[in-house]
Amino acid sequence: MAIEVGSQAPDFELKNQHGELVKLSDFRGEKSVVLVFYPFAFTGVCTGELCAIKEELPRLQNDEVQILAVSNDSPFTLRVFADREGLEYPLLSDFWPHGAVSTAYGVFDETKGCAVRGTFVIDKDGVVRWSVVNAIPDARDEQEYLKAIAAL
């Protein structure tokens, strides 16, 4: 069961594709966060979704909002994926302990060993204000993220 709208977003600290630690609570009071969980790098639907985010990056990562994409891949895999696709926003590794953050948000599929497609818009106070959870094969629409941000 995914974390509910109105709940405090679970804090976490994960490595990005450059090996740097990114902590959700570091954005508290500064920026809203669009937290996007996806199953794995280098897969068709995931690549399409993350490249669509890249196209909307000025609206999804600026002085008011930060995009964070999370998968269960290793940081090394994420680095190669980001370089190949030209992704310049943080790709976070929920690799070890495997799926701990995905589990905290209720989007880890234990039978497949990866996150399903969950997105959470978190306000500057750390409260989940909007979410959508799709099955692994079902792509999300990044335009919905923009509508949710505009409603904050």
Side-chain angles (χ1 to χ4, degrees), residues 34-37 107 117-121 130-133 140 145:
V34 179
L35 183 61
V36 178
F37 289 91
V107 295
R117 297 182 192 285
T119 303
F120 303 88
V121 173
W130 180 88
S131 72
V132 65
V133 178
R140 296 159 286 192
Y145 311 163

Side-chain angles (χ1 to χ4, degrees), residues 72-138:
N72 302 113
D73 295 296
S74 74
F76 309 107
T77 300
L78 295 177
R79 176 64 184 262
V80 174
F81 180 59
D83 288 350
R84 177 179 144 190
E85 299 300 331
L87 305 175
E88 297 179 0
Y89 54 89
L91 303 182
L92 306 181
S93 173
D94 191 17
F95 184 72
W96 199 258
H98 190 70
V101 175
S102 305
T103 299
Y105 280 80
V107 295
F108 188 73
D109 183 332
E110 292 197 22
T111 60
K112 293 191 173 46
C114 65
V116 296
R117 297 182 192 285
T119 303
F120 303 88
V121 173
I122 302 164
D123 69 14
K124 292 179 182 179
D125 295 323
V127 176
V128 176
R129 294 296 175 193
W130 180 88
S131 72
V132 65
V133 178
N134 288 3
I136 290 174
D138 301 328

